[in-house]
């Protein structure tokens, strides 16, 4: 990268979006030299991070996530906030938007001085093993964004990734029970802090209300995620700008509750530790793939196991001994 | 261990329960020499493993797990099967039984020639990091047990551990909706293949039926775990031996379905790979704890992260470089 970290940090801190974009590209890069610079950059911006509200947003395709983010983002900006929008996986609408060149998505929000929209990288670096949304978020925080919206479409493990880096998890629902509700991915309901039923209008209001009842019933069966917090099911229309303010109030209420109970910091710390473990694994795999012999060894040991030829613990031990270059007892 | 692996294998294969117990103790041991012997033993018994039906059983305390296992185990034995009962965590009733010297638990089952009951070790080896239930299961399979019942009381991550090593996951419920249902741990409903409402009698039958309806409603909101399988909610009484045969039929049906779709083998392979990854992590941690400097290093890096002083990826990289003794890019 031709730009030094000094320049990047100066640019980020002064609100230069081009520099912010470059810093994120650096962090996303799989190039070894870039990784070195990225680690240095992250180290140096740490004092400026952690001050935002990190909001995870999920919902099936068609739930109106882009419209919601546009509407919600504009509300926050009206209130004097700076908003960054990130997407955690390549299949999210943010990314589809950028791939298809669909510039109409979040068109108005994108024009705002105090908004920053960043599609996710088209492929995760190192072949999709690593995901750098957490690090991108840190950079946006250093740039003074006080609300980070992290969007996911809910493919694979992406909700877990979002839950692992956000303070509040928002679930966008469309009206309709029955088969449509079946589409709720396993485990998602358990991660949710606030539900917003979108696209409600006078014609479908009754149907929306029964969807709400069904959701409340489903929530009733789940253990509470945060003490003293009953997950609210809100109704509204992002397109008509209806009910978005209530979502914002509920988010503030939830964050306040977590801060007072100490859970806010506690969970942030847990998330950081989890992130550390994630990177430890990543770097061990990285070290492995740097050497062909280690790479082959991993493939072979795993194959012995998955073909049920060898027992997992013995194969694991052989592999770790090769990796560390010493015998372990 | 004074007994050689030759003797152990001979004993296990010939149905000697004392030898079986000793082999399990060996696998559970944290002693370095024992670990070496255990890995060799596991390697050698591999050809005899994999032929059982692995049944995970969970339920809150008071759901009647011991009574159910006694009743179900006896049914299987009547059908000419050999049954091994294992417990995955120290807080399970099996272990409580052994700690309290409560010999009345599964008293009749324990007397059966074709039953083997093994409490979980009072503490996981290496300070609870590792769990050897999977390996114990392999040894029981080598000893010819064709049904392995793995009990958990559902504390912490134990259900996930059970789900990760079993072919079918059974959930024992007691009658009662409302607040009691709140006790269902987050995520458990998503892992379940069959639900059995226990302790049903003529007086509470209506209440049992409404509990069943509530459970069916909750299940309705969840994505199906196995294609073409609607989780059945069965009613019965383990004490009165009522409905146990239906549980057995449903288990057979479920296993048959998975075998026909190829999911049975597919999941077994995935489980083996997961187990391999588990042991890779374990052995890396093991290698770390063998050296004080590495141990201190891990603690310090993790502390920097959890106190939000340093960014996770940089700290992870520093740690992995120390661990592997080389720089990684």
């Amino acid at each position: 990268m031709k730009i030094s970290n000094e320049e990047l940090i100066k640019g980020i801190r002064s609100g230069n979006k081009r520099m912010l974009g470059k810093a994120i590209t650096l962090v996303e890069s799989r190039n070894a030299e870039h990784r070195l610079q990225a680690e240095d950059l992250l180290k140096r911006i740490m004092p400026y991070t952690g001050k935002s509200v990190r909001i995870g947003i999920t919902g099936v395709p068609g739930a109106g996530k882009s419209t919601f983010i546009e509407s919600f983002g504009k509300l926050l900006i009206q209130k004097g906030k700076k908003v960054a929008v990130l997407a955690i996986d390549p299949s999210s609408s943010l990314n589809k938007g950028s791939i298809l060149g669909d510039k109409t998505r979040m068109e108005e929000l994108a024009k705002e001085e105090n908004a920053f929209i960043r599609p996710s990288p088209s492929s995760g670096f190192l072949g999709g093993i690593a995901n750098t949304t957490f690090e991108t978020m840190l950079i946006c925080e250093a740039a003074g964004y006080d609300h980070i919206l992290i969007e996911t479409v809910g493919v694979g493990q992406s909700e877990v990734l979002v839950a692992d880096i956000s303070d509040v998890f928002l679930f966008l629902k469309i009206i309709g029970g029955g088969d449509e509700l079946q589409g709720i991915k396993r485990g998602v309901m358990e991660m949710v802090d606030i539900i917003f039923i979108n696209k409600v209008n006078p014609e479908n209001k009754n149907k929306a209300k029964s969807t709400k009842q069904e959701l409340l019933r489903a929530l009733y069966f789940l253990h509470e995620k945060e003490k003293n917090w009953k997950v609210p099911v809100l109704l509204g229309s992002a397109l008509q700008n209806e009910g978005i303010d209530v979502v914002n109030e509920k988010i503030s209420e939830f964050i306040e509750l977590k801060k007072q109970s100490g859970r806010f910091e506690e969970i942030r710390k847990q998330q950081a530790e989890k992130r550390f473990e994630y990177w430890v694994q990543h770097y061990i795999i990285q070290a492995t793939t740097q050497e062909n012999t280690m790479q082959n060894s991993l493939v072979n040991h795993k194959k012995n196991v998955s073909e049920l030829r060898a027992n997992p613990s013995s194969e694991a031990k052989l592999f770790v001994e090769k990796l560390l270059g010493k015998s372990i007892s």
Side-chain angles (χ1 to χ4, degrees), chain A residues 106-153:
Chain A
M106 304 180 202
E107 199 185 352
E108 290 183 51
L109 188 61
K111 282 182 202 150
E112 294 280 350
E113 172 63 27
N114 285 331
F116 177 77
I117 299 178
R118 176 78 184 191
S120 60
S122 49
S123 77
F125 90 107
L126 283 164
I129 295 163
N131 173 292
T132 49
T133 310
F134 180 82
E135 286 68 28
T136 297
M137 184 170 71
L138 295 180
I139 297 173
C140 291
E141 287 180 341
Y145 291 89
D146 37 37
H147 282 72
I148 318 280
L149 312 186
I150 312 146
E151 185 201 337
T152 176
V153 79

Side-chain angles (χ1 to χ4, degrees), chain A residues 53 101 138 177 201 246 249 276 282 291 323:
Chain A
V53 180
L138 295 180
N201 60 40
V246 186
E249 280 163 28
F276 171 73
H282 169 77
E291 292 170 37
L323 182 70

Side-chain angles (χ1 to χ4, degrees), chain A residues 41-61:
Chain A
L41 178 72
L42 288 166
K43 215 176 285 182
R44 289 162 69 172
I45 61 160
M46 271 308 281
Y48 311 122
T49 64
K51 276 129 200 149
S52 80
V53 180
R54 302 166 177 177
I55 304 168
I57 300 170
T58 191
V60 294

